[in-house]
Amino acid sequence: FQSLRLEKELEIEMQHHLAFSKKHYEREGMSSNAAKKAALKGFGNVESLKEDCRDSWGTRMINDFIRDFRYSTRLLLKNKIFSCTVILTLALCIGANATIFSLLHRIVISPLPFYDSDRIVQVFNVFQGQRQKTSNTSWVQYSQFKDKADHFENFALSQLGYKVVNGEEIDFCRVDAEFFEFFGIQPLLGRFFTEAEQVQGSEHVMVLTYSEWKNHYLSDPNVIGKKVEFLIGPSHTIIGVAPKRIESLYHGVRFFTSLKLNAVALNPSTRHLPNLDLWARLMPEVTREQARLQLESLESSYIETNNPGYFERWKNYPRHFDVGPPHALQFSLIFLQIATLFLLLLGSVNVLNLMFVRSMQRAYELSVRYSFGARRITLARVMLIESAILSSLAAIAALGITFISLAAFNNYLIILFPNTQPVSLTGATYLSIAGVTFVLGILLGLLPLSVMWKSKKIQQYSNTRNASTDKKTKLFTNGLITTQIAITFTLLVGALLLIKSLQNVLHVDPGFDAEQIVRGNINIRSVYKDRNEWINIRKQVLDKMEEIPGVHSTTYESYSMVVSSKSRVTDDFGIRGGSFEDEVTPPIFIKLVGRNYFETMGIRMKEGSGFNPSGDAISSGYVVDENFVDRYLQGRNSLQTQICREGLQGPWGKIVGVAERANFFGLANRDGTPVVYICVENNPTWRFSALLVTSRPLDAITNDMRLKLEEINPRLHLTDIDSLKTSLGDLHTDRNAVTKVTSAFAILALLLSAVGIFGVLAYEVKRKETEIGIRKAIGADRSKILGLILRQGVLKTLTGLLLGLVASFLLTEYLENMLFDIDTLDIERTYIVTGILLLLIATLASVLPAIKATHVNPMVSLSSE
């Protein structure tokens, strides 16, 4: 940092030594000029001595670095197109990888921002039949596990719910007294719950989330002690504020209440009526498989020793446990991460090619440095500084791209998983960007230098600006281009297959009129406790809904989600006189519906006339869908068959109709669980979904629905209001997102490949100007020169396509679960279309260098030698 002062002092010291020596020779009788010459000869080379002095200071390396940094910066600013191309290419590739890695790390690898989060698991019951269905746990199970499961350090319970405050339905969470301690959370204000507050009849208290405290209470420090009134239920007193980290478990939850214990929760008969989220922390060194086996052993032991007759029906399905099942987006995110790694490889190859071309242009400079004594490590430093500048600027740009991309992805996450916390930039993201940047900086700087060194381009430099490229260099550049084409072909095939698959899904007939049906959930029990009133109130609600202008028909079903990716199943069912009369069959999907359900939904009947107008669940019989008939009633008269809903113990009923298949679980799940419809017109149901057929906008019809409910009772309210078209479309949001992202990656890969081919061929034309000039001088016409350059681009592309075919075959196998109605012919067509497209792009990218080659002047190119 004081180099100027040191240089000045060094110069003064050198001059002092020379002056002293000169005077010495003058005293011996020499003339002034002779004394000066003798002094210089005896002292030695001044500049060489200065270099030795600078080395002794220990700052030589820093000074050289600063000098080379300035030099590289000037060169990069001089070559703006090259610099911008490299920075933009790396930024897009690194940013895409960092975005997907952030999602994968936050959602799959480390979803919980708590200490030792890898030991935190969620315990699920697993019912095994033909297919598996997981469910939560119960308080009875939790109590046993807490006392006897020594593979676990501790447990915690939670349960989602909703309350209506000032006409708005808000989400909240019931938790036990150990919940916050389990996650290592301390209150920002006030305190958390005590065990005494879990007892039924104790004071009703609540803890606000940080977001609720900040947004609704404006971070009021005096919020403790305030009361919150609900439309239904007692008021609650605020006792604390929880930090924001806890919201990562349930995004959108606005407060927590104490989980109250009652007689029903403690009754052993409710053991297999699970409704609680059970969180567990594994002991150190205990694997998830060991923990699962212990829970399974405890469950089996309990059933064998406690009233085994009561649990006999549960033995039909061996009960197991799962700890932390994979996230629903895991497959999609892993696929996207693989795609971004391919994209990063493609971008790196493209940039490496550009860096190689640039290093060949700098071969003369490096050769001059080497001839003046520069060591190999010095040349490496020159190249590394330039690549470090480019990769560092690319990393900064990649951070901005990642930030914007995560904001876009969060919109999809909120739709797919409302309880998922938005993903943001974390330490893991910064480390991944820094790691990739460091590796790329090393490779892009040293690999081109290594190739040139091995090919003697630096040691034996001889006018290489116009020399022909040696074999090794040619193989290297051709290999890079071939790799680019193969990766691009693979990504394009994956993108086109996903697009075709999405189109196939969207063209599937849902089996009902999703365009004009609006649904809203209504809870009667929260207002009317008498079950005898429920049928009459439900009828009043539907009658009022029919009075709304623009409503053509109304009906209902008792389950809250008409369209859902999760199937609600019964335990088993039986078929009288069939193969299932003495054994348990796979689960079926039950829909409890109103009498005119099929007419309102637009579901056509294939056999029979539907439900009896009396509306009694038994006298009306059952309506099954054609999937049920195809799977279980082949060769039988459907309308003469009796089935039993509750295994072989429940009442038998006759099948009175066969409906066409309705895809309630998404258009891609048309071969899913068979559906059995049961009419509950005269059965009291406390919560149901009102279904209205209307062509009016959703906002307008929603307001009218609320007003009609207020006419019946101001305490009645609607929840989860949506159109079936929107709900059905939301089931494919993840598929749509993966398709869009993969398509964007494929387009970017196509552009990178075109730029790569153009750059290499342009460089080859520049390198072969002398050869082209000789060819033209001895009679080659423009068409031959044009064909020569185009042929090089096409041959490189064809080689890459052959490699891409192999990689695409492996990718197609991996994507099998995401491809809907894609047959062998579709795959073959995709291969052909992708190959033709790439060949066309490669040809276009080769045209400009080829045209430039035809304009080479033989006299100019030969005279330059």
Side-chain angles (χ1 to χ4, degrees), residues 492-501 812 819 822 826-827 830:
L492 277 174
V493 166
L496 291 176
L497 288 176
L498 288 175
I499 291 172
K500 177 64 176 176
S501 177
T812 305
L819 301 180
I822 299 294
D826 290 326
I827 296 175
T830 303

Side-chain angles (χ1 to χ4, degrees), residues 453-465:
W453 188 271
K454 288 181 179 180
S455 61
K456 307 296 184 180
K457 290 290 182 183
I458 297 175
Q459 302 95 316
Q460 301 174 4
Y461 187 85
S462 176
N463 201 14
T464 51
R465 287 170 292 178

Side-chain angles (χ1 to χ4, degrees), residues 142-175:
Y142 157 74
S143 300
Q144 183 197 19
F145 298 160
K146 184 178 180 181
D147 293 338
K148 298 182 179 181
D150 56 7
H151 282 1
F152 297 85
E153 190 174 294
N154 49 8
F155 294 88
L157 288 174
S158 59
Q159 182 186 47
L160 285 173
Y162 69 91
K163 291 280 189 181
V164 179
V165 181
N166 298 325
E168 178 188 6
E169 184 177 276
I170 61 177
D171 295 326
F172 77 102
C173 187
R174 302 180 184 92
V175 299

Side-chain angles (χ1 to χ4, degrees), residues 785-809:
I785 302 297
L786 188 67
L788 175 68
I789 304 301
L790 287 177
R791 189 162 55 250
Q792 291 183 17
V794 171
L795 287 176
K796 292 179 177 66
T797 304
L798 290 175
T799 307
L801 291 179
L802 290 176
L803 294 176
L805 277 173
V806 178
S808 298
F809 177 77

Side-chain angles (χ1 to χ4, degrees), residues 130-131 508-510 567 587 625-628 630-632 661-675 820-821:
Q130 180 177 334
R131 52 180 294 176
V508 172
D509 181 9
S567 58
D625 71 345
E626 55 183 329
N627 197 12
F628 184 97
D630 294 341
R631 188 173 297 185
Y632 304 128
R661 180 186 293 112
N663 300 305
F664 296 113
F665 315 129
L667 300 177
N669 295 322
R670 60 187 178 193
D671 297 324
T673 307
V675 180
F820 180 78
D821 273 1

Side-chain angles (χ1 to χ4, degrees), residues 92-111:
L92 289 172
C93 297
I94 296 174
N97 269 274
T99 300
I100 302 301
F101 175 76
S102 298
L103 293 166
L104 189 64
H105 184 270
R106 173 65 180 81
I107 294 175
V108 178
I109 299 175
S110 182

